[in-house]
């Protein structure tokens, strides 16, 4: 089965995207395969609403392992399956917690192993940063550089080695996100940037078309 990974900085909405996108594709009862950095694996079954409440959250670093769900796409008379893998969010610099550093290393390995890379960014945060018209001292709640950072450039470099690389400009329901989306399109003239809202499931039709082709 081909694997798609959802990657990006912490708190950009990767998990909420995975839960709502799987729901959009038609998954009703979710079976998540959790793969921890120490090699332990576990299967957890839950409803989409429970998955949203349990797995996604406002605090950074909610996700600390690979968590995957199987998506099924109709293809001709049959169907094709694709694994959608949510990952530990990455941060600029070296994180002080060894457990998180190991989980982030696991994310980087998952990018190399994946067929499809969905790079999620927070378009609202990028837009806010653009409007502030300064490149110094702008930080998110986690003390991380807000907006588009060097880390995103590095993720883009890794991801664009794959045919299925796509940038998803998330949180389009928030103020400043349109400015953020415009900045992304200007920066990535050769790459597809799709505006989405993981919260309200907007832009999912375009993402589905892309992912379906890669399944
Ligand atoms: N308004 C808005 N909020 C969103 C959207 N997507 C995610 N969020 C919120 O952003 C916060 C982080 O969401 P998560 O899905 O946990 O983000 P993540 O990238 O998985 O974060 P980590 O696992 O902690 O790295 C939560 O409070 C979500 O409700 C969106 O499209 N719009
Ligand atoms: Mg998460």
């Amino acid at each position: 089965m081909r694997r798609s990974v959802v990657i990006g900085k912490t708190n950009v909405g990767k998990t909420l995207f995975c839960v709502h996108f799987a729901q959009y594709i038609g998954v009703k009862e979710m079976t998540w395969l959790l793969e921890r950095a120490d090699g332990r694996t576990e299967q957890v079954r839950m409803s989409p609403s429970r998955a949203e409440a349990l797995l996604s959250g406002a605090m950074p670093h909610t996700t600390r392992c690979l968590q995957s769900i199987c998506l099924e796409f109709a293809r001709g008379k049959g169907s094709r399956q694709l694994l959608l893998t949510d990952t530990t969010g990455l941060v600029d610099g070296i994180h002080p917690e060894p457990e998180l550093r190991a989980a982030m290393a696991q994310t980087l390995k998952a990018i190399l192993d994946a067929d499809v890379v969905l790079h999620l960014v927070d378009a609202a945060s990028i837009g806010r940063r653009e409007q502030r018209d300064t490149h110094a001292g702008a930080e998110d709640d986690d003390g991380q550089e807000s907006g588009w950072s060097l880390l995103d450039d590095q993720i883009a470099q890794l991801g664009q080695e794959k045919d299925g690389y796509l940038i998803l400009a998330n949180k389009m329901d928030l103020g400043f996100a349109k400015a953020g989306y415009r900045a992304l399109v200007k920066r990535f003239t050769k790459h597809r940037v799709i505006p989405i809202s993981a919260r309200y499931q907007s832009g999912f039709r375009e993402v589905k078309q892309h992912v379906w082709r890669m399944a």
Side-chain angles (χ1 to χ4, degrees):
M1 193 190 316
R2 301 190 95 194
R3 187 177 226 179
S4 57
V5 289
V6 179
I7 55 164
K9 295 203 302 189
T10 185
N11 231 16
V12 294
K14 298 176 298 298
T15 302
L16 193 62
F17 167 77
C18 289
V19 173
H20 281 174
F21 189 64
Q23 207 177 2
Y24 178 82
I25 298 299
V27 180
K28 289 193 176 65
E29 193 60 25
M30 302 184 158
T31 304
W32 292 88
L33 170 67
L34 309 186
E35 297 168 75
R36 305 199 191 278
D38 64 7
R40 283 181 299 142
T41 60
E42 190 187 342
Q43 281 206 7
V44 191
R45 219 172 141 76
M46 59 183 102
S47 67
S49 56
R50 183 137 178 78
E52 183 177 334
L54 210 68
L55 304 179
S56 160
M59 291 300 287
H61 305 302
T62 307
T63 307
R64 288 161 177 255
C65 66
L66 300 182
Q67 41 197 36
S68 307
I69 189 161
C70 183
L71 304 181
E72 205 159 311
F73 295 92
R75 223 185 194 153
K77 284 182 184 160
S79 66
R80 284 271 185 91
Q81 292 183 325
L82 179 79
L83 205 62
L84 179 69
T85 300
D86 181 22
T87 62
T88 302
L90 301 168
V91 293
D92 291 290
I94 297 170
H95 200 280
E97 270 187 62
E99 185 216 343
L100 261 173
R101 287 205 299 273
M104 288 180 206
Q106 192 192 21
T107 296
L108 293 174
K109 184 170 181 306
I111 301 175
L112 301 177
D113 293 342
D115 305 288
V116 180
V117 174
L118 305 177
H119 179 179
L120 236 84
V121 296
D122 182 338
S125 164
I126 293 171
R128 261 196 310 276
R129 172 90 183 228
E130 288 286 314
Q131 303 279 322
R132 248 183 270 161
D133 196 28
T134 169
H135 290 277
E139 291 186 346
D140 287 335
D141 299 343
D142 196 25
Q144 285 292 303
E145 199 184 338
S146 67
W148 182 270
S149 69
L150 187 63
L151 175 64
D152 280 304
D153 279 330
Q154 288 161 345
I155 296 174
Q157 275 199 352
L158 263 180
Q160 65 200 18
E161 302 284 314
K162 313 274 173 182
D163 293 339
Y165 177 69
L166 194 64
I167 298 169
L168 301 180
N170 191 31
K171 306 197 185 182
M172 289 303 296
D173 56 287
L174 295 179
F176 295 110
K178 283 203 176 83
Y181 172 65
R182 280 196 299 272
L184 284 166
V185 170
K186 222 164 117 187
R187 189 180 186 110
F188 289 95
T189 47
K190 292 201 183 94
H191 291 98
R192 184 128 180 250
V193 184
I194 298 182
I196 65 162
S197 165
R199 176 164 290 171
Y200 297 107
Q201 307 195 3
S202 68
F204 278 20
R205 201 165 65 95
E206 289 79 1
V207 182
K208 183 182 169 185
Q209 278 168 354
H210 173 86
V211 170
W212 178 86
R213 273 201 305 274
M214 304 305 299

